[in-house]
Amino acid sequence: LNDALYLNPSFVSFLPSYSISGNYLFYRGTPKADSTPSDTHGHAINASLQDGRSELFQAGVGFTQNEFSRIITVGASKSIVQKFGLGAGGKFMLPHGTAQSLIWDTTISGTFIPLDWLQVAVVLDNLLETEDGRRNGLFREYILGTKVNVMGIVLGYFDPHWASHAPNGSAFGHELGLEFPVFKDFFLRMGNFRNAKIPFLNTYTRGYSAGIGWIAPRMSIDYALTRVLDPEPVFGHQFGVTVFF
């Protein structure tokens, strides 16, 4: 649902509901290999509204506050034909603890659903890639998103991406995920990422993840565990609730 606002605004057109979402995340570093304690810790909060039922176009807005900044994200999309949609979004960032003014950038994307079991998206994130944006982790990124539904038994996700100016030689990376519908309304999830942008650390890194989700008639509840491996081991815990109608 509201994840589309941040990851792929063109997909909002394929989510025909009104939805309100809230998320809370906290993270903490663990001792390093030499037993040195870690002082890495923090939290983030997020809330968003999304309208996927409007006839003219579909849109949403979200607010995120973390240890680095406050960010307002907006997105809008339109389904050109039944299985093809285009979208655009913007992010407006106000960094903490600096004299910098508002930083903003844009996202454009397209989603194509050629088959019932296959979805494909192309996303260009941080299109402008300004100097201020780079200093705050907003690097231009080209993303290919894919989702495969294998007979309703397992859902597979593979998202390779390229960010030519990403730091530490992490230009090419991926996110890989599997989702298992254990019951009609209960899901198990696991994932792996490499050279991927982790928003709560504002850096590109590698690691893995796991999670669960429960969908009620008008509400979903989700939990995700993220294990970051570099540059130091960090555990992140995210809890989310979405109400839709």
Side-chain angles (χ1 to χ4, degrees), residues 29-40 227 229 231-234:
T30 59
K32 302 177 183 179
D34 61 359
S35 299
T36 303
S38 171
D39 59 358
T40 299
R227 175 61 165 172
L229 300 177
E232 65 173 297
V234 176

Side-chain angles (χ1 to χ4, degrees), residues 30-242:
T30 59
K32 302 177 183 179
D34 61 359
S35 299
T36 303
S38 171
D39 59 358
T40 299
H41 65 278
H43 70 281
I45 57 172
N46 164 267
S48 60
L49 302 171
Q50 191 167 280
D51 176 6
R53 298 178 63 177
S54 174
E55 293 186 4
L56 183 61
F57 62 90
Q58 296 74 50
V61 59
F63 171 78
T64 304
Q65 178 166 305
N66 56 35
E67 299 295 323
F68 307 99
S69 61
R70 294 187 296 273
I71 306 171
I72 293 177
T73 304
V74 297
S77 69
K78 179 67 177 178
S79 179
I80 307 303
V81 294
Q82 186 177 5
K83 295 187 176 183
F84 178 69
L86 294 174
K91 60 191 73 174
F92 304 86
M93 173 189 289
L94 188 62
H96 293 320
T98 71
Q100 280 187 294
S101 58
L102 186 70
I103 300 168
W104 66 282
D105 214 315
T106 61
T107 302
I108 58 174
S109 67
T111 295
F112 180 43
I113 307 178
L115 302 166
D116 291 340
W117 54 269
L118 176 65
Q119 298 176 7
V120 180
V122 176
V123 182
L124 175 53
D125 196 19
N126 300 319
L127 175 63
L128 303 179
E129 196 185 37
T130 64
E131 288 297 325
D132 285 343
R134 284 191 194 181
R135 283 193 290 268
N136 288 274
L138 301 182
F139 298 98
R140 185 181 299 125
E141 193 166 344
Y142 304 86
I143 306 161
L144 175 65
T146 61
K147 176 182 177 181
V148 177
N149 186 334
V150 183
M151 302 176 64
I153 300 173
V154 60
L155 309 176
Y157 303 82
F158 179 57
D159 300 348
H161 52 81
W162 174 266
S164 59
H165 296 118
N168 303 321
S170 53
F172 179 75
H174 73 268
E175 292 90 14
L176 175 67
L178 294 174
E179 184 175 38
F180 300 91
V182 180
F183 302 108
K184 184 178 180 180
D185 57 357
F186 186 77
F187 298 83
L188 296 178
R189 301 161 179 148
M190 62 181 64
N192 167 270
F193 52 90
R194 186 175 185 85
N195 293 339
K197 176 71 175 292
I198 303 300
F200 64 81
L201 295 178
N202 201 31
T203 189
Y204 285 77
T205 185
R206 64 185 180 95
Y208 51 89
S209 59
I212 57 174
W214 175 66
I215 300 178
R218 288 287 179 263
M219 181 177 68
S220 68
I221 299 175
D222 298 278
Y223 164 74
L225 167 68
T226 302
R227 175 61 165 172
V228 173
L229 300 177
D230 296 323
E232 65 173 297
V234 176
F235 275 112
H237 303 268
Q238 180 170 322
F239 302 86
V241 176
T242 302

